[in-house]
Structures are given as C-alpha cells and as structure tokens.
Amino acid sequence: MDVLIIEDESAASDRLINLLREIDPLINVAKVITTVSNAKIDLRSIEADLIFMDIHLSDGVSFSIFESLEVTIPIIFTTSHDEYALEAFKVNSIDYLLKPISKLDLIRAIDKFNQLKIKQIDFDQLNRSLQKATYQKRFMVTAKDRIITVKTDKVAYFYAQGKLVYLYRLDGSRHLIDFTLQHLEKILDPDHFFRINRQFIINLEAIKEMFAFSRSRIKVSLEPNAPESAIVSSERAATFKKWLNK
C-alpha cells in the first residue's frame, strides 16, 4: 500500500512513519507533504492508496486543498484538537486520529480503510465543522506564587525568545507559557491572531500603528510595547494584508 502524509510537524510525521512500518513493513510512504500549496501541486500527479492528512498546516487549513482539486484518494484525518466536531470527520472520511497517534488507533483506522476502501467525502460539511471548532479560550499561567487563567481575548501577543515563549497581556504583564508558536497557530482563532514572523503571534487588538518597511515588509507598533521590533516577514506580508482586510 502506498500512502501520502500531509503534515507540517516533522515529529508527528516521523512518528506516523515509524508506526506504519511497525504495523506493516510493506506500507510505503510515497511522500510527506508539509504545506497546502505543495499539496495542491503534488496531488495532481502522485498516486496513492491512502492519505493521512493533518487539518491545520503552516500555510492554511488542509480542506482548502480541495477547493480547486478533485481528490478521490481515501483520507484519514489527523488532529491535535478534540474540540472539533469529530463526528463529521467520522461520517465524511475513512476515520480520524487524535494526536499523538497511538499504535492501536492506527491499526483500527487501517483496518477500517481495508474494509471500506473508498468513501465519498463531503468537504463542504467538513469546512462547516471546522468553522464550529472551539479555539483556545484561556491559558493557565503563573503569577509569582499564584496560578491564574488569562482569557485569550486579553492576550496582546505571544513572543518567542530562543526556546522560551511568553504571553503578553493587554495590560502589559507577561507570563512564560509551555507552548510553541507553531502549536499556538493551530489553537488560536485566526480571525483575531496572526503569526507575523518567527517570533511573534499578534492579536489584532494589540496593533497600535503600522509602517511600511524595507523589502515590502511591514513594521507593527504594538500595545503594550514589544521587547523588540515586530516586523511582518516578507513571505507573510501579502497574507497579513488579506487578514487585515477580512
């Protein structure tokens, strides 16, 4: 069996590949695709028996792959979010797997695939289900010797400094949190939060001013003041402008 993996987290794709090899050495991973844009290109020419597809990729929601591309390959969705309307994924795909994927769940999903072989997927319904998803509502943080919760709408931005990630509140306070920016991108409401570069995810409400910067980049003045310049990277600038115009 030839499979495709559409996943942007290398640790997750490596784990899935190792589990598939343990389950059946004859399963061949034809390719690992990491972005929506690459998937739209590769799926026009690559043949496979089954796709394992993460729902959120670095450049968008994977369902958008099918807006201009007809895919008849059966799909098993993978997701980090148990808040999604997963019943819809059950109805409209071979199966879904909640990450981190367990070997037993993977075996069951492959068995289900072998029994069903192919099933028509209603991507409009899946998109509606995704829109009903519950994004992160609050974060548990520490403040000196206290444990408190911060509502997401009170967050100004998230800032990565090396391997550390800080949550900055609109009132100017900051808290160290145990999340990566990559994971935060997936659990924050994209209508309100945008990752402008490798160090910042910002809340629309925290933007004070914006200025044209070199090489088509945009400098964002944040409130409260950021620990360093918040500049929208050139590769994200066009998407950022679309986000502002929603």
Side-chain angles (χ1 to χ4, degrees):
M1 178 168 62
D2 291 327
V3 305
L4 295 176
I5 296 175
I6 301 178
E7 168 66 67
D8 63 343
E9 296 182 12
S10 57
S13 59
D14 289 346
R15 174 179 174 78
L16 179 54
I17 291 170
N18 290 333
L19 287 174
L20 289 170
R21 287 172 177 167
E22 290 177 14
I23 293 170
D24 186 352
L26 295 179
I27 294 176
N28 173 54
V29 178
K31 191 167 187 177
V32 177
I33 303 170
T34 59
T35 64
V36 169
S37 56
N38 285 342
K40 288 180 177 180
I41 296 171
D42 292 340
L43 287 175
R44 296 182 186 277
S45 57
I46 297 178
E47 294 185 0
D49 301 297
L50 177 64
I51 297 174
F52 290 91
M53 179 183 291
D54 188 16
I55 294 169
H56 271 291
L57 300 177
S58 59
D59 61 339
V61 178
S62 59
F63 299 154
S64 64
I65 294 168
F66 307 97
E67 292 175 356
S68 58
L69 185 66
E70 181 180 358
V71 176
T72 58
I73 303 170
I75 297 173
I76 294 175
F77 289 104
T78 63
T79 176
S80 300
H81 306 272
D82 56 4
E83 297 93 345
Y84 286 126
L86 293 177
E87 284 300 319
F89 302 153
K90 279 185 178 181
V91 170
N92 293 286
S93 63
I94 294 295
D95 209 343
Y96 73 92
L97 295 170
L98 193 61
K99 296 191 291 186
I101 297 170
S102 74
K103 186 174 182 178
L104 181 58
D105 287 343
L106 183 56
I107 290 172
R108 288 172 175 167
I110 292 175
D111 286 345
K112 186 176 179 182
F113 160 71
N114 287 328
Q115 293 171 11
L116 297 177
K117 289 301 181 186
I118 192 164
K119 191 174 186 179
Q120 185 64 40
I121 299 174
D122 185 346
F123 289 104
D124 288 337
Q125 184 172 342
L126 287 174
N127 269 313
R128 290 193 296 271
S129 299
L130 183 65
Q131 290 168 4
K132 295 177 183 177
T134 303
Y135 293 102
Q136 190 84 4
K137 294 178 179 178
R138 55 188 173 270
F139 291 87
M140 184 185 74
V141 301
T142 57
K144 295 184 179 179
D145 58 344
R146 295 183 301 135
I147 296 175
I148 62 174
T149 57
V150 178
K151 291 184 178 180
T152 305
D153 61 5
K154 302 299 182 184
V155 176
Y157 51 86
F158 299 89
Y159 169 66
Q161 185 176 35
K163 294 184 178 181
L164 303 178
V165 175
Y166 294 94
L167 177 157
Y168 280 76
R169 298 164 67 177
L170 291 169
D171 64 9
S173 59
R174 76 169 191 175
H175 306 275
L176 182 65
I177 58 173
D178 190 22
F179 289 86
T180 64
L181 291 190
Q182 187 176 33
H183 183 64
L184 286 168
E185 277 187 284
K186 296 185 177 184
I187 63 175
L188 293 169
D189 187 343
D191 283 341
H192 300 285
F193 288 89
F194 188 92
R195 185 171 182 178
I196 61 171
N197 57 34
R198 293 181 180 180
Q199 291 180 284
F200 284 95
I201 295 177
I202 65 173
N203 186 346
L204 181 64
E205 299 300 320
I207 298 176
K208 184 167 59 175
E209 294 180 286
M210 292 178 284
F211 309 90
F213 203 66
S214 62
R215 293 192 303 172
S216 303
R217 294 182 294 171
I218 301 168
K219 184 175 182 179
V220 181
S221 176
L222 297 171
E223 184 68 44
N225 291 332
E228 63 178 276
S229 296
I231 299 171
V232 183
S233 63
S234 56
E235 62 267 22
R236 297 174 184 262
T239 308
F240 178 70
K241 291 176 182 176
K242 290 181 181 178
W243 177 70
L244 292 173
N245 280 316
K246 279 188 178 180

